[in-house]
Amino acid sequence: MDKFPTFNILMYSHDTYGLGHIRRTMAIAEQLRQSNTNILILTGSPIAGRLTFPKYVDYVRVPGMIKKANDEYFPLTIRIDPLQAMEIRQSIIIATVKTFLPDLFIVDKEPQGLKKEVLPALEWIKENLQNTKTILGLRDIMDDSETVKADWNKKNIYSTIEDFYSEVWVYGQKNIYNPIQEYDIPPSISKKLHFTGYIPRKVPSESLADDLRLQLNVMKNENLITVTTGGGGDGFYVLDNYLTMLEKMKAQSILPAFQSVLVTGPFLSRDDKNLILERANELGIQSYGFFSDMETLIAASDIVVCMGGYNTICEALFSKTMSLIIPRETPRKEQYIRAQAFHREGLIEFIPWALFNENNLENKILNMLENRASFTKAMDNFEMTGIVNICERISKFWNGKNGKNDSPDTMYGFERLS
């Protein structure tokens, strides 16, 4: 028998479309892993198999689902009835809980899971695993306040959180956005709520970033702009305007003051992707459908043009890379609210969707390159405490496997694996 018991962490990421949830979950798992920790991720992400899972971290894939309209979900790839697909997902989730016996169960964003698929697992844990802590992990901003309150009241989310969760971790800062106030969270829940701060990312060494710049044929005295739209499902408008800007400059025989890399994302439609890649090729721009090491690419860049998702902004801020955000405003206002909040702190620049065009884009980029010192200063003063505070929370309720009481120092002291 091992000297110390293993600590089993189960993480749920419903992942219907896009990369946001699985990337945030992976970022947390990457930094929580220990030699006496097992981390298992439940995910429906279709790109899970393309991600690199580090030692002590693995995943269980449930059938992928995609939202069509009005809270209707359909299987992403397999041709079966939606109800059948949901039953398969729910069966896998409850079976995993019963066999893995987590000491910690972290549910990302959706308190009940997709179509309430996590509720049976939460109920079983409450009845059978009294020492297991259940955590609801929320990104900093869900949506505008009225939309969230209406949705949570309709789905009885407030009572679900009160009945089944030990704690709520908000991966953000109260001074930037306060969900307690915005979402009318009652005292019975707010007393469980902890602001962890933003989640830092794996930081590539300076040499790795420099090596990537060389591979991309970017010299030390040149600026590199990376354009990424996350999963890419709704990113064509951003990519199209960026290429239009460069095409216009080329027609006017203007040499850009920067080099460019485009990452379309794996969910951009095939026709749109082919069009973007063809136009990029004509301009001599390197472009990718999927880039496996976005952390290094962002660290190697001078500016990241993106849509304002939680993960990309965190990666850019932690790498001290300037961000130009073009936030979508439908079907959720989350990105727009986040862009406004971070802009107030002087951390990013943004262009509202309705005002976005190739001319505004060029002006913003040139202005940012000329005034990078102000962004650098703001980013230097911005602390990303997410992992440190998560580890402190875990250490407070560490109770070991099967109720064995071991010192928190044996688990989250906290010396993470490299």
Side-chain angles (χ1 to χ4, degrees):
M1 182 178 292
D2 294 338
K3 182 178 179 182
F4 301 116
T6 56
F7 190 80
N8 289 348
I9 300 176
L10 182 62
M11 306 181 76
Y12 165 86
S13 177
H14 74 286
D15 295 294
T16 54
Y17 199 52
L19 301 177
H21 304 296
I22 186 61
R23 287 180 65 204
R24 179 167 56 250
T25 299
M26 282 288 292
I28 295 171
E30 171 80 24
Q31 298 188 67
L32 289 185
R33 63 197 183 96
Q34 293 274 309
S35 60
N36 56 343
T37 301
N38 297 311
I39 301 178
L40 193 58
I41 299 172
L42 283 161
T43 179
S45 173
I47 59 95
R50 299 168 67 177
L51 301 173
T52 300
F53 284 77
K55 192 175 182 180
Y56 309 126
V57 180
D58 208 338
Y59 73 100
V60 174
R61 174 79 156 81
V62 298
M65 304 292 287
I66 183 170
K67 185 176 182 179
K68 294 295 185 181
N70 298 324
D71 211 28
E72 290 187 83
Y73 293 86
F74 295 86
L76 183 62
T77 53
I78 56 176
R79 292 170 292 181
I80 61 175
D81 184 82
L83 289 177
Q84 186 181 3
M86 291 305 304
E87 287 176 0
I88 294 172
R89 286 174 60 105
Q90 184 171 298
S91 296
I92 292 173
I93 292 168
I94 190 68
T96 301
V97 167
K98 288 182 177 180
T99 52
F100 188 58
L101 299 175
D103 297 288
L104 181 66
F105 185 28
I106 304 176
V107 175
D108 184 71
K109 182 184 177 287
E110 295 289 344
Q112 299 173 342
L114 177 64
K115 304 292 284 186
K116 301 185 178 181
E117 66 184 356
V118 172
L119 278 179
L122 291 170
E123 291 169 352
W124 191 87
I125 288 172
K126 186 175 182 178
E127 293 175 4
N128 298 278
L129 299 178
Q130 282 76 25
N131 289 322
T132 294
K133 300 299 180 181
T134 49
I135 307 298
L136 174 62
L138 299 178
R139 65 184 181 223
D140 56 346
I141 300 162
M142 303 294 290
D143 203 339
D144 68 280
S145 58
E146 294 306 314
T147 298
V148 172
K149 287 186 290 186
D151 183 62
W152 281 18
N153 279 311
K154 177 183 177 182
K155 297 178 179 178
N156 295 317
I157 296 298
Y158 295 103
S159 60
T160 295
I161 297 173
E162 187 170 348
D163 293 342
F164 294 109
Y165 285 96
S166 309
E167 293 189 356
V168 179
W169 295 346
V170 177
Y171 306 133
Q173 293 180 188
K174 188 176 182 179
N175 65 306
I176 291 181
Y177 192 83
N178 185 1
I180 297 175
Q181 176 181 319
E182 297 291 338
Y183 306 153
D184 286 349
I185 294 178
S188 58
I189 295 175
S190 62
K191 68 182 181 182
K192 300 180 179 182
L193 193 147
H194 302 272
F195 289 88
T196 68
Y198 287 86
I199 305 295
R201 295 305 196 261
K202 181 177 63 177
V203 181
S205 66
E206 187 173 339
S207 61
L208 280 176
D210 289 343
D211 288 346
L212 180 56
R213 285 174 66 92
L214 288 176
Q215 293 173 31
L216 297 171
N217 295 315
V218 180
M219 300 298 104
K220 286 188 175 181
N221 62 338
E222 292 182 307
N223 293 304
L224 173 63
I225 296 180
T226 290
V227 185
T228 175
T229 57
D234 55 358
F236 178 79
Y237 185 58
V238 175
L239 298 163
D240 176 53
N241 272 280
Y242 189 85
L243 289 174
T244 299
M245 175 191 73
L246 293 180
E247 289 163 347
K248 183 177 178 181
M249 295 172 75
K250 182 179 180 180
Q252 296 174 348
S253 299
I254 298 174
L255 185 65
F258 45 83
Q259 290 206 45
S260 306
V261 170
L262 269 60
V263 183
T264 67
F267 303 129
L268 184 66
S269 72
R270 181 178 298 178
D271 289 345
D272 285 345
K273 183 181 293 185
N274 289 338
L275 177 60
I276 292 297
L277 297 182
E278 181 181 341
R279 291 168 63 189
N281 185 58
E282 290 176 357
L283 290 165
I285 294 174
Q286 299 186 69
S287 54
Y288 304 85
F290 178 79
F291 202 92
S292 60
D293 190 4
M294 282 302 299
E295 293 93 346
T296 301
L297 180 57
I298 289 174
S301 304
D302 295 277
I303 294 178
V304 175
V305 178
C306 58
M307 293 178 64
Y310 181 95
N311 299 288
T312 305
I313 287 183
C314 283
E315 287 165 353
L317 289 174
F318 205 61
S319 295
K320 304 295 191 293
T321 299
M322 292 186 291
S323 303
L324 175 54
I325 311 299
I326 298 88
R328 65 167 176 256
E329 299 178 36
T330 58
R332 286 173 294 279
K333 292 184 172 61
E334 163 225 340
Q335 291 190 0
Y336 181 67
I337 296 170
R338 183 178 296 112
Q340 287 182 310
F342 277 85
H343 185 260
R344 286 194 295 267
E345 302 294 321
L347 292 162
I348 60 99
E349 186 57 270
F350 83 104
I351 304 174
W353 195 266
L355 301 179
F356 180 53
N357 58 49
E358 68 272 16
N359 295 322
N360 285 344
L361 181 59
E362 181 182 358
N363 291 335
K364 287 287 187 182
I365 288 172
L366 295 177
N367 183 264
M368 291 174 72
L369 290 174
E370 291 177 1
N371 297 281
R372 70 179 75 204
S374 63
F375 293 99
T376 300
K377 181 179 179 180
M379 289 187 287
D380 284 341
N381 292 328
F382 185 70
E383 295 186 2
M384 300 181 69
T385 60
I387 296 300
V388 171
N389 287 331
I390 286 174
C391 294
E392 288 182 358
R393 294 309 311 161
I394 293 175
S395 70
K396 289 182 184 299
F397 50 63
W398 160 255
N399 54 30
K401 200 71 172 176
N402 299 319
K404 294 179 181 177
N405 293 316
D406 289 282
S407 167
D409 295 335
T410 66
M411 180 57 203
Y412 286 99
F414 181 84
E415 187 174 344
R416 291 189 295 275
L417 298 171
S418 59

